[in-house]
Amino acid sequence: MHVLILGGTTEARRLAELLHGTPGLKLTNSLAGRVASPRLPPGETRVGGFGGAEGLAAWLSEQAVDVIVDATHPFAGKISFNAARAAAATHVPLLAVRRPGWVPVEGDRWHEVGSLEEAARALPALGRRIFLTTGRMGLAAFADLDDLWFLVRSVDAPEPPHPARMEVLLDRGPFTLDGERELLRRHRIDVVVTKDSGGAATAPKLTAAREAGLPVLVVRRPSVPEGVAVLPDAEKAAQWVREHLEQGAFPAVD
């Protein structure tokens, strides 16, 4: 059985680790190629796009893929919808792995918004020194906010357009609570901007912001394509794949 993992996340790497070496299973990991030095998972790896839904459908047929596991980032919406269309066109079963989103607790000062553009419009009323943790790909939304100062954290250096007053911090999670506390203090941050990525690796910034009484702009994640089965972690996804391998039919997703 040939399994294609659409990856680039902690869950995708964990799933590849769990499935690698399983008798009767061929594993291909697909990475978008947006990170210069990605952490490669076990198994075969391809890097780069497929050419939209039609290109992915053609690749699925050429490579005789039996199942797709979409374990991409919760905000990688384009590939998820392309995968859904390609799976429907080729009749290849599709499973999505999505870590649960963050939930505010007492003391949080969250402002939920629907997009980076909406976050940019809300920022001037909330503060002047911004900790921007939404990645390097969406900085254009904040490029016109010349009166604000940004600390931008990303894995790779961003390219224009981006805010004029900006300091870049190149780093990769997981991050510690003590480290996030010190970062907020040292840079005199008064607003945090994040996507609702979920997971533990980058969650300490939310705790640090809560302790400091800072507002947090949280960009809501896009929905999973309609009709796609969803599991919350790699362990359950690996079990689902193994059950199919053993039974020759895909089990229902609870």
Side-chain angles (χ1 to χ4, degrees):
M1 183 174 68
H2 188 184
V3 176
L4 172 65
I5 300 177
L6 303 175
T9 61
T10 301
E11 289 80 10
R13 286 191 298 275
R14 177 59 178 156
L15 178 59
E17 291 168 357
L18 291 169
L19 293 179
H20 183 61
T22 301
L25 187 147
K26 176 183 178 181
L27 188 62
T28 300
N29 301 279
S30 176
L31 304 179
R34 292 180 177 176
V35 177
S37 300
R39 298 172 180 171
L40 296 181
E44 297 182 15
T45 301
R46 68 173 306 281
V47 178
F50 291 92
E54 291 183 359
L56 177 54
W59 194 91
L60 296 175
S61 297
E62 292 167 2
Q63 299 298 320
V65 172
D66 295 289
V67 62
I68 312 168
V69 181
D70 174 13
T72 55
H73 191 276
F75 282 83
K78 186 174 182 180
I79 182 60
S80 295
F81 280 89
N82 284 343
R85 288 193 287 269
T90 56
H91 306 289
V92 174
L94 170 62
L95 174 73
V97 179
R98 290 291 183 273
R99 69 188 76 150
W102 292 317
V103 178
V105 300
E106 185 176 356
D108 280 326
R109 295 177 57 197
W110 285 15
H111 301 262
E112 295 191 12
V113 293
S115 65
L116 293 177
E117 290 74 19
E118 190 176 340
R121 290 193 294 270
L123 270 178
L126 295 175
R128 316 303 294 174
R129 297 182 65 83
I130 319 301
F131 183 27
L132 190 58
T133 68
T134 56
R136 64 188 176 92
M137 304 302 293
L139 294 183
F142 305 91
D144 295 332
L145 299 177
D146 296 335
D147 294 336
L148 306 184
W149 180 88
F150 291 85
L151 175 65
V152 174
R153 182 164 68 192
S154 64
V155 176
D156 295 318
E159 298 178 356
H162 54 61
R165 302 176 61 206
M166 177 183 74
E167 179 177 334
V168 177
L169 177 62
L170 298 181
D171 205 354
R172 188 199 303 260
F175 303 105
T176 67
L177 179 55
D178 285 342
E180 300 293 65
R181 287 168 175 156
E182 172 60 20
L183 187 148
L184 297 181
R185 185 199 63 79
R186 184 171 70 251
H187 293 280
R188 296 179 287 117
I189 298 299
D190 52 22
V191 185
V192 176
V193 182
T194 184
K195 295 177 178 177
D196 179 16
S197 301
T202 60
K205 64 189 170 189
L206 301 174
T207 303
R210 183 190 317 125
E211 292 176 350
L214 301 182
V216 179
L217 275 169
V218 180
V219 182
R220 292 187 294 270
R221 61 173 62 179
S223 59
V224 174
E226 186 176 354
V228 176
V230 181
L231 289 174
D233 55 49
E235 285 73 17
K236 288 184 173 60
Q239 180 182 356
W240 184 82
V241 171
R242 289 198 185 102
E243 287 179 3
H244 166 65
L245 185 61
E246 294 170 358
Q247 301 173 8
F250 284 96
V253 176
D254 294 330

